């Protein structure tokens, strides 16, 4: 059902854990299945220097969370804001249609973290 890349990220997720000195934290949960994700960003000069995640969810949610951290590390906050759930699914080589919503968990948690970061900086993110 899952391709090799998804299985590999599920078995060896990157950047798992917390960042105690995070500059921004974002959270998201799926009403559909109850899965949740929390993401921590360390930002320096507008660039995401480090990122960690904690996901309680299905294999696709964990693989999506892991892939998302790889995609956004080193990007500017504004570049990261452009990353969509489709980008995450594409980087994973695709997800089964019934599991596509799982990549929303990661992208939406990221967008929540960025909104929180911008709020702290005194600016507002528009959807
Ligand atoms: Fe809940 Fe995948 S089934 S995020």
């Amino acid at each position: 059902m899952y391709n090799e890349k998804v299985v590999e990220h599920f078995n060896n997720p990157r950047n798992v854990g917390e960042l105690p000195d995070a500059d921004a934290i974002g959270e998201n949960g799926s009403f559909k299945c109850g899965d949740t994700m929390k993401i921590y960003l360390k930002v320096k000069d507008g660039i995401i220097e480090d990122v960690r995640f904690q996901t309680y969810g299905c294999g696709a949610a964990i693989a999506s969370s892991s892939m998302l951290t790889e995609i956004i590390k080193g990007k500017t906050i504004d570049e990261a804001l452009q990353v969509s759930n489709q980008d995450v699914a594409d980087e994973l080589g695709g997800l089964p249609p019934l599991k596509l919503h799982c990549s929303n968990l990661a992208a939406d948690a990221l967008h929540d973290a960025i909104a929180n970061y911008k709020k702290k900086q005194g600016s507002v993110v528009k959807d």
Side-chain angles (χ1 to χ4, degrees), residues 1-16 35-37 53-71 85 87-96 99-100 102-107:
M1 161 170 165
Y2 292 128
N3 69 39
E4 273 178 32
K5 205 168 185 181
V6 174
V7 172
E8 202 280 316
H9 271 269
F10 172 64
N11 285 330
N12 303 293
R14 282 47 149 195
N15 305 304
V16 175
D35 292 352
T36 58
M37 179 189 186
F53 79 90
Q54 295 172 309
T55 293
Y56 177 80
C58 69
I62 289 167
S64 296
S65 304
S66 170
M67 178 54 82
L68 177 82
T69 64
E70 292 218 309
I71 293 172
N85 60 324
D87 295 329
V88 175
D90 288 349
E91 278 299 315
L92 282 170
L95 287 168
K99 289 289 178 177
L100 252 185
C102 309
S103 57
N104 287 338
L105 200 64

Side-chain angles (χ1 to χ4, degrees), residues 15-29:
N15 305 304
V16 175
E18 289 178 65
L19 278 179
D21 58 346
D23 296 303
I25 298 174
E27 289 181 87
N28 187 35

Side-chain angles (χ1 to χ4, degrees), residues 24-82:
I25 298 174
E27 289 181 87
N28 187 35
S30 167
F31 290 114
K32 231 174 168 179
C33 63
D35 292 352
T36 58
M37 179 189 186
K38 198 165 181 180
I39 189 167
Y40 304 79
L41 304 179
K42 186 80 199 147
V43 183
K44 191 170 181 208
D45 299 329
I47 293 173
I48 298 172
E49 273 203 327
D50 208 356
V51 51
R52 295 278 190 286
F53 79 90
Q54 295 172 309
T55 293
Y56 177 80
C58 69
I62 289 167
S64 296
S65 304
S66 170
M67 178 54 82
L68 177 82
T69 64
E70 292 218 309
I71 293 172
I72 64 168
K73 207 185 256 192
K75 282 199 183 328
T76 67
I77 282 288
D78 289 332
E79 286 168 346
L81 192 56
Q82 304 305 314

